[in-house]
Amino acid sequence: MAEPRTNVSSLDPVWQRICDEAQQAIRDEPLIGGFVHASLLHHPSLERALAYRFALKLSSNDMSEQILREIAEEAHRASPDIVQAARADLTAVFERDPACHRYLQPILYFKGYQALQAYRIGHWLWTRGRFDLSYFVQTRVSEVFGVDIHPAASVGRGVMIDHAHSIVIGETAIVGNNVSMLHSVTLGGTGKEDGDRHPKIEDGVLIGAGAKVLGNITVGHCSRIAAGSVVLRDVPPNSTVAGVPAKVVGTAGCDQPSIAMNQLVQE
């Protein structure tokens, strides 16, 4: 089988590694050669590959793949921070998820990563006043990935959404940098109130599976929310909360719980 041709910048070690992994994947399993080449090796950069995946996954009879790809490429050109955030998210998944053994896995297979990068395009559209198009992206992300992030929400860098099924992040929610959350997490409101009504998650927070954080409250930096908890009040920094309703049950247990990913309340 012919060796795939690539165009990789020597100044981009992350993309170089992804392409090296892609070539090895094809050697290991030639039947996925077309898929891997179209998704990764055909493209000259990470941002072009991300734009292709965005368009491929979200296209439908309502919006063509070509139009969506042009939107993503426009966003990447206008706001390089989107791609920098994508790199930080990719590293976060690789370092924190024990099921992730290669950099290419999140781009090709992990819906949490792909949904988050699609949200970033939708958020860029929202900040430009292109509301209906951003709502379209939100709807398709929800339909395709089972992840519902309002395009007005603010999400930082280095975020890992593990498994990602049934994630909900509301309109006025703010998620800081280096946050980790598992499936079925809700960052929601508490009723029909308008205005600023969703949680503010500070840097380094770990949110366990099924946790619900409700209302305009603040979860302090480097805290842990135990799986299945319902958080209705502010959480102090470097704390662990658990229960329904959640209460402080101890310290966070380490300096960076979102990176350590230790979800045991008692050690």
Side-chain angles (χ1 to χ4, degrees):
M1 181 176 181
E3 191 74 12
R5 297 178 63 187
T6 60
N7 180 17
V8 181
S9 169
S10 61
L11 300 177
D12 189 348
V14 171
W15 181 238
Q16 175 72 65
R17 175 168 178 166
I18 291 169
C19 290
D20 290 344
E21 292 175 351
Q23 292 171 341
Q24 184 60 53
I26 293 172
R27 288 192 288 270
D28 293 340
E29 181 50 85
L31 292 178
I32 66 168
F35 163 59
V36 173
H37 194 278
S39 297
L40 298 173
L41 295 177
H42 178 71
H43 307 286
S45 64
L46 176 60
E47 49 264 50
R48 294 287 290 275
L50 290 174
Y52 172 83
R53 294 294 292 168
F54 169 84
L56 180 71
K57 300 298 287 187
L58 300 192
S59 61
S60 68
N61 291 334
D62 298 318
M63 190 77 66
S64 73
E65 183 178 335
Q66 180 62 36
I67 292 175
L68 288 170
R69 189 168 177 178
E70 291 173 359
I71 291 168
E73 290 177 351
E74 179 189 1
H76 292 159
R77 287 193 301 270
S79 184
D81 285 349
I82 294 175
V83 179
Q84 294 306 314
R87 292 171 180 275
D89 298 339
L90 186 63
T91 300
V93 176
F94 180 77
E95 291 180 348
R96 300 176 206 169
D97 185 354
C100 184
H101 308 292
R102 296 168 295 170
Y103 272 76
L104 65 75
Q105 286 177 262
I107 301 173
L108 297 182
Y109 308 122
F110 290 6
K111 69 178 184 178
Y113 179 81
Q114 295 180 48
L116 185 55
Q117 306 324 308
Y119 146 80
R120 296 193 187 283
I121 302 297
H123 181 68
W124 177 82
L125 291 166
W126 183 272
T127 61
R128 267 69 180 172
R130 302 168 71 177
F131 301 124
D132 286 309
L133 196 50
S134 65
Y135 281 133
F136 175 83
V137 172
Q138 177 192 8
T139 297
R140 288 297 293 149
V141 170
S142 180
E143 291 172 345
V144 173
F145 299 116
V147 175
D148 195 346
I149 308 176
H150 195 286
S154 176
V155 179
R157 300 182 179 189
V159 173
M160 183 189 75
I161 304 179
D162 193 21
H163 296 292
H165 187 71
S166 298
I167 293 287
V168 177
I169 300 178
E171 179 181 13
T172 61
I174 298 176
V175 178
N177 298 320
N178 298 318
V179 169
S180 295
M181 65 181 74
L182 284 83
H183 56 282
S184 299
V185 164
T186 297
L187 305 181
T190 57
K192 295 179 65 176
E193 72 274 16
D194 201 359
D196 194 354
R197 61 195 185 278
H198 295 107
K200 313 300 181 277
I201 310 299
E202 295 188 344
D203 296 351
V205 171
L206 171 61
I207 308 177
K212 315 301 177 188
V213 187
L214 306 177
N216 184 14
I217 61 176
T218 298
V219 177
H221 65 268
C222 298
S223 291
R224 297 189 302 174
I225 299 174
S229 298
V230 177
V231 184
L232 302 175
R233 298 180 182 274
D234 290 346
V235 176
N238 305 109
S239 302
T240 294
V241 297
V244 182
K247 298 179 181 179
V248 175
V249 296
T251 64
C254 64
D255 292 335
Q256 296 288 333
S258 65
I259 296 175
M261 295 295 292
N262 183 355
Q263 300 177 64
L264 296 178
V265 174
Q266 295 181 342
E267 300 185 9

